[in-house]
Amino acid sequence: QVHLAESGGGSVQAGESLRLSCLISGYIYNRGSMGWFRQAPGKEREGVAAIDDDGSTSYVSSLKTRFTISRDKRKNTLYLQMDSLKPEDTGMYYCAASPRAFHMIAIQNLGHVPQSLLDSGYWGQGTQVIVSS
């Protein structure tokens, strides 16, 4: 059984940093992608960053200078380092894993998270991030 559990969210001031963690169990890492997504109140879920099995990363263009995705296979953990946070970064942050690779530029160009990923991917319950001005 695959299980993803996010942690590390919280309330911060604009300009501060947070590091989110996602502990993954029961998942085979040798294919597909893992990534971070977020959903602001009243808005659709959107992509943030992804990492493939070979370690290559992709980001939504507007976030790549401030956010960094990484993983530690030994700890079965996915991370998202978020720096210089802005109030518009407020939202619920989700980690996801899928045996089918996904790329953030493709998701950005599509304009929404593919339904196939929402339906067939593995998702955590989310961790809340609130950034105050």
Side-chain angles (χ1 to χ4, degrees), residues 45-63:
R45 194 168 299 188
E46 62 180 7
V48 175
I51 186 166
D52 291 343
D53 180 68
D54 64 1
S56 58
T57 59
S58 62
Y59 296 86
V60 169
S61 300
S62 60
L63 301 176

Side-chain angles (χ1 to χ4, degrees), residues 37 102-103 106-107 110-120 123:
F37 297 78
F102 54 87
H103 195 278
I107 291 176
L110 185 63
H112 57 84
V113 180
Q115 193 63 44
S116 57
L117 180 56
L118 292 171
D119 292 343
S120 302
W123 292 84

Side-chain angles (χ1 to χ4, degrees), residues 26-130:
Y27 186 72
I28 300 173
Y29 286 85
N30 62 357
R31 56 178 178 161
S33 304
M34 294 182 284
W36 289 95
F37 297 78
R38 68 184 186 183
Q39 188 165 11
K43 294 187 176 181
E44 290 190 357
R45 194 168 299 188
E46 62 180 7
V48 175
I51 186 166
D52 291 343
D53 180 68
D54 64 1
S56 58
T57 59
S58 62
Y59 296 86
V60 169
S61 300
S62 60
L63 301 176
K64 66 183 301 182
T65 60
R66 300 187 293 118
F67 289 14
T68 303
I69 188 171
S70 62
R71 67 176 179 209
D72 186 332
K73 286 188 175 182
R74 295 172 302 171
K75 295 182 179 180
N76 295 327
T77 303
L78 184 70
Y79 301 100
L80 183 69
Q81 177 67 39
M82 305 187 295
D83 298 320
S84 302
L85 283 162
K86 303 176 180 181
E88 52 263 42
D89 294 320
T90 293
M92 188 71 78
Y93 283 70
Y94 301 90
C95 64
S98 173
R100 297 182 64 180
F102 54 87
H103 195 278
M104 282 303 159
I105 297 300
I107 291 176
Q108 176 182 309
N109 292 339
L110 185 63
H112 57 84
V113 180
Q115 193 63 44
S116 57
L117 180 56
L118 292 171
D119 292 343
S120 302
Y122 301 103
W123 292 84
Q125 294 299 306
T127 185
Q128 183 73 49
V129 172
I130 299 173

